[in-house]
Amino acid sequence: MSKVIAIANQKGGVGKTTSAINLAASLAALEYKTLVVDADPQANSTSGVGLNPKEVEVSVYECMVDDIPVKDAITETEIDYLHILPSHIDLVGAEVEMVSIDRREERMRDALKAVKDDYDFIIIDCSPSLGLITINALTAADSVMIPVQCEYFALEGLGKLLNTIKIIQTRLNKELKIEGILLTMYDVRLRLSNQVVEEVKTHFKSIVFDTIIPRNIKLSESPSFGVPAIAHDAESKGAISYLNLAKEILDKNNISQEG
C-alpha cells in the first residue's frame, strides 16, 4: 500500500517544506520507504535533504513537461529509506508550458504512477500558490495535509484552499481526502498561540492533528546543514514532534508501526 500526501497551503511561511522534509524523514526513520516530491520552484526540500538544486539535471519539471521517467530523476539521500524527486528553478516555467498540454492537471499523477508501488509514502511539498503545479499535486495525492501557523491571520486564505480542494474532489480526484490540519510554529509562552489552537480546533474539530509543531531552533537551523531535524538533533523538540506526527498518521491510516 502506498499513500500519497500533498502538503499544501497557498500562504507562504507556514511550515510546508519543514513539514514535508521532517515528516518524510520521520517515516523513513520508522523504516517506511518514503519519497519526497519537491513541487516548489524554490527547491527548498531539495536543498533541505542535502542536494544542490543548481546541480540537479533531471527534476520533477522534466518528468511533468518532457515525459522523462521519474526513476531517472529520483535521488537517494543520506537517510536510509528516504529518496527525493528534486526540483529546480525551471519549474517556474512549467505552469506556462503545461497550459497547452493534454490532461495538464494530471501530469504529476501520470509521472508518479511508475514508482508509486516502490514506496510506502510519497510526500509532495507544494509551492505557496494555488497554481497548476499545486493542482497537479492535489490531483496526484490520496490526501492533503494543511499546515497552519499559530499566528495572527492563521485562518486567512484557508477557505480559498478548502474551496480549491472541493473543486479538485469534484472534477479531478474524487478520492482526495483531507489528512488533517497541522498546527505549526507554536510558542507555548504566547497567549496568541493558544488562542489560535483553540480557534482552529473549534472550527475544524476532528480533522486537526493532535500533534502540534513547536517553534524550535533545531528545526530552523537544520536546513542550513542540508539534513532533516531528526538527523541534526534527534532529541530536539522539533524532531520528536514530527516523529509523533508520523506515528499519528500511521495510527490514523491503520498502518502497523513495525516498519
Side-chain angles (χ1 to χ4, degrees):
M1 189 222 83
S2 176
K3 173 121 191 170
V4 183
I5 303 174
I7 301 184
N9 188 334
Q10 76 273 27
K11 268 187 93 166
V14 297
K16 276 190 298 293
T17 298
T18 300
S19 296
I21 294 170
N22 288 291
L23 171 60
S26 297
L27 290 164
L30 295 168
E31 298 189 356
Y32 289 91
K33 289 175 81 176
T34 306
L35 174 68
V36 178
V37 177
D38 191 348
D40 184 349
Q42 294 173 61
N44 291 335
S45 279
T46 302
S47 56
V49 295
L51 270 70
N52 181 348
K54 289 177 183 162
E55 291 171 6
V56 169
E57 289 178 14
V58 187
S59 73
V60 66
Y61 167 83
E62 283 79 14
C63 299
M64 290 171 69
V65 175
D66 301 326
D67 291 323
I68 301 286
V70 165
K71 282 182 179 170
D72 294 351
I74 288 173
T75 306
E76 292 183 3
T77 71
E78 288 181 16
I79 293 171
D80 289 342
Y81 297 98
L82 182 64
H83 293 173
I84 177 120
L85 174 54
S87 178
H88 58 54
I89 194 70
D90 283 358
L91 194 59
V92 169
E95 304 235 347
V96 178
E97 289 184 51
M98 285 164 58
V99 166
S100 56
I101 292 179
D102 208 28
R103 298 174 72 245
R104 60 187 181 182
E105 296 92 353
E106 294 164 49
R107 303 294 289 180
M108 189 181 294
R109 178 161 66 189
D110 292 346
L112 291 175
K113 256 181 204 156
V115 298
K116 194 173 175 185
D117 292 340
D118 298 343
Y119 294 95
D120 299 306
F121 287 94
I122 297 176
I123 309 293
I124 308 174
D125 180 21
C126 297
S127 65
S129 79
L130 291 178
L132 193 50
I133 305 293
T134 297
I135 287 167
N136 261 269
L138 294 172
T139 303
D142 298 310
S143 64
V144 54
M145 178 190 293
I146 305 166
V148 171
Q149 81 284 37
C150 296
E151 292 174 1
Y152 269 127
F153 308 125
L155 298 179
E156 196 181 59
L158 213 52
K160 196 172 176 186
L161 175 61
L162 293 170
N163 199 37
T164 301
I165 290 168
K166 269 196 189 122
I167 291 166
I168 285 164
Q169 285 168 329
T170 308
R171 298 185 192 167
L172 295 163
N173 183 0
K174 288 183 172 59
E175 306 303 312
L176 182 66
K177 293 184 170 52
I178 293 177
E179 190 70 31
I181 290 174
L182 176 67
L183 289 155
T184 63
M185 303 180 192
Y186 176 75
D187 188 336
V188 70
R189 298 163 303 177
L190 295 181
R191 205 168 95 221
L192 175 65
S193 275
N194 294 305
Q195 285 171 345
V196 172
V197 170
E198 287 311 307
E199 189 180 0
V200 173
K201 284 189 170 173
T202 303
H203 258 75
F204 297 104
K205 301 182 175 66
S206 62
I207 64 166
V208 183
F209 285 106
D210 293 333
T211 305
I212 296 177
I213 308 301
R215 279 198 179 278
N216 178 251
I217 191 77
K218 299 294 182 186
L219 274 181
S220 304
E221 68 186 20
S222 63
S224 64
F225 292 90
V227 291
I230 203 164
H232 180 47
D233 182 353
E235 301 296 310
S236 67
K237 277 185 179 169
I240 290 165
S241 297
Y242 277 107
L243 200 55
N244 288 337
L245 175 65
K247 289 174 179 173
E248 191 176 342
I249 286 170
L250 292 170
D251 282 344
K252 196 174 173 185
N253 289 281
N254 300 313
I255 300 167
S256 98
Q257 287 182 32
E258 289 159 21

